[in-house]
Every structure is written in C-alpha cells, then in structure tokens.
C-alpha cells in the first residue's frame, strides 16, 4: 500500500511521524493527511476526536484511518482481521476518556494497526508469537525463582551477621556505640592511635579512646 509519497512502512503511527527522505518528519505525515482530505472529505469527522490535540494529530489520524480502511477493504473476507478490528474497538471503548466518555477513532485505528503488524508477522513466521510468549513466560518464572533464591540467601547472610555480632559482643571483640547504639564498632589499635597523634598531636580524637564506631564515626 502506498499513500502519496509514503509507503505504509514509512508511517510511524505510534509516534505520529513519517520516516521519509532520510529523517523522521511530522510535516510529511501531515502533508499526506491534507492531501487525503481533499480526496476523502468524509475524514473531516475525525476533527472531533478528542485524542487529536493539534492539527498535525488530526492530519496524521486521517492517514491512519485511510490505512485501516484500505486494509479492511483488501481483506473484507478475512474473519481474523475483522475480529481484530472489533477487539481494537472494544478495547479502546473500554478505556474511555475521563472527560468526554467517548471512544477515540485515532486510538482504535492505531490499536488495529498494531494488531495488523502482529498478524503480518504471524503470517510470515507461523507460531512466532506463541514461541515468544512461551520464552517470555519462562523468563518470568526464572526471574521469580532467582529472586526467591536471592531473598533466601539474603536472609541467611543477615542471620549469620547477626550471630557473628552477638558472638563478637560476647567475647569483647566489639561493643555497642554509646552515641548511635550501633554494634558496627572496632577497637582502636595502638598503631592507629599513634598515627593519629603524630598527625594532629594532642588534638587527636583517639587519645584516651579505645573504640571507634564505623556507623557514626565516634571514638569512645
């Protein structure tokens, strides 16, 4: 199917642009919409569609409607495609706009074009969507399994750390910080104290202190 200077593959209906002349162009899509309106003025009804916020949206919507009409006319005996159009209509109608409570033909047509792309891929590669969906479901299940394993390992690590802390507190390897109550403490070594004194002299915060808190940085 060709639409003026555009081919169907040139129309990026998801972003309202056209891939033409080597760059993405809103103007190209709008131009084709204006050309189509001169040939098919009945598409002016789309001007009332609440999903068309700008003139470019309106002209693009005309192109989408024309594409859908051509597809349905060329496949008027294809029950599957007709059902996909009905499904697109029902889906978009179910998601009513909060203000107008009306369906949007722009959204219906874009939804159908997406369904049509899936249909054409399925025709070219039979069963591909089933295979992709199966792989997706498998990846999801493996992801859930891995998450559970990580959570279980995290619980084991936390339990081990808790036991180690209790043991260190019991044998005097660490104490509770009197300032922040953290148990993430360590003894100030003679070497550490000597280095501190040599650097800052009597201003050293480690003079007369035995413990250092790694959590709040206090010496006590």
């Amino acid at each position: 199917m060709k639409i003026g200077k555009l081919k169907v593959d040139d129309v990026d209906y998801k972003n309202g642009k056209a891939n033409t002349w080597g760059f993405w162009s809103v103007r190209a899509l709008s131009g084709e919409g204006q050309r189509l309106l001169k040939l098919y003025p009945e598409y002016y009804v789309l001007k009332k569609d609440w999903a068309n916020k700008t003139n470019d949206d309106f002209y693009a919507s005309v192109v989408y409607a024309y594409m859908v009409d051509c597809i349905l006319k060329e496949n008027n005996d294809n029950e599957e495609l007709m059902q996909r159009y009905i499904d697109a209509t029902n889906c978009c109608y179910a998601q009513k706009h909060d203000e107008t409570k009306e369906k949007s033909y722009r959204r219906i047509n874009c939804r159908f074009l997406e369904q049509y792309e899936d249909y054409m891929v399925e025709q070219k590669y039979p069963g591909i969507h089933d295979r992709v969906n199966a792989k997706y479901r498998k990846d999801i299940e493996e992801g859930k399994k891995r998450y559970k394993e990580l959570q279980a390992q995290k619980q084991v690590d936390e339990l081990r750390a808790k036991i180690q802390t209790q043991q260190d507190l019991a044998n005097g390897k660490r104490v509770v910080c009197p300032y922040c109550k953290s148990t993430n403490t360590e003894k100030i070594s003679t070497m550490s104290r000597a280095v501190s004194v040599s650097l800052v002299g009597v201003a050293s915060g480690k003079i007369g202190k035995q413990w250092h808190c790694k959590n709040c940085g206090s010496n006590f």
Side-chain angles (χ1 to χ4, degrees):
M1 183 197 309
K2 191 173 182 181
I3 310 168
K5 296 180 180 180
L6 300 177
K7 295 179 181 179
V8 172
D9 292 340
D10 291 329
V11 178
D12 179 14
Y13 61 88
K14 295 180 181 179
N15 296 301
K17 298 180 181 181
N19 183 20
T20 181
W21 305 304
F23 60 94
W24 291 102
S25 172
V26 173
R27 182 178 299 177
L29 194 59
S30 293
E32 292 307 322
Q34 294 175 54
R35 186 187 66 81
L36 286 171
L37 276 173
K38 294 177 181 178
L39 299 174
Y40 309 100
E42 60 268 25
Y43 287 131
Y44 270 105
V45 69
L46 298 173
K47 191 76 172 178
K48 299 179 180 179
D49 192 332
W50 58 264
N52 294 324
K53 306 298 184 183
T54 66
N55 284 334
D56 285 331
D57 289 344
F58 166 56
Y59 295 134
S61 189
V62 171
V63 177
Y64 306 152
Y66 177 77
M67 290 171 62
V68 170
D69 287 345
C70 288
I71 291 171
L72 293 179
K73 287 177 182 178
E74 292 173 1
N75 299 274
N76 59 358
D77 58 345
N78 189 315
E79 294 183 2
E80 182 177 349
L81 276 181
M82 293 300 173
Q83 185 59 50
R84 291 196 180 207
Y85 182 77
I86 293 173
D87 292 343
T89 302
N90 292 336
C91 177
C92 292
Y93 187 67
Q95 300 175 3
K96 295 178 181 178
H97 189 255
D98 293 338
E99 298 177 1
T100 63
K101 303 299 181 183
E102 295 177 357
K103 59 186 176 182
S104 164
Y105 287 102
R106 176 190 179 91
R107 291 197 172 185
I108 291 173
N109 289 332
C110 286
R111 176 79 176 183
F112 173 72
L113 290 172
E114 185 175 351
Q115 294 288 330
Y116 180 68
E117 278 189 12
D118 289 344
Y119 171 80
M120 295 304 292
V121 171
E122 182 69 29
Q123 296 304 302
K124 189 173 182 179
Y125 306 102
I128 188 172
H129 288 112
D130 290 338
R131 294 193 294 274
V132 170
N133 290 335
K135 184 179 184 304
Y136 175 75
R137 288 192 295 270
K138 182 180 179 181
D139 290 343
I140 290 295
E141 291 303 317
E142 290 180 352
K144 289 180 178 179
K145 181 180 178 181
R146 179 57 179 162
Y147 176 76
K148 290 180 179 179
E149 291 174 349
L150 291 174
Q151 288 298 102
Q153 185 61 49
K154 181 180 179 181
Q155 292 177 355
V156 170
D157 292 342
E158 289 176 347
L159 180 59
R160 287 176 177 172
K162 185 176 181 179
I163 293 174
Q164 185 63 52
T165 297
Q166 292 173 343
Q167 290 176 346
D168 289 347
L169 290 172
N171 59 29
K173 288 186 177 181
R174 71 172 77 182
V175 296
V176 177
C177 175
Y179 302 106
C180 69
K181 308 305 179 185
S182 172
T183 58
N184 188 16
T185 57
E186 64 180 356
K187 271 195 173 183
I188 299 174
S189 67
T190 302
M191 178 62 71
S192 175
R193 187 181 293 107
V195 170
S196 178
V197 172
S198 67
L199 291 175
V200 296
V202 294
S204 172
K206 293 185 178 180
I207 295 178
K209 309 296 183 180
Q210 293 184 320
W211 297 92
H212 173 73
C213 178
K214 295 181 180 181
N215 186 57
C216 68
S218 301
N219 296 319
F220 54 94

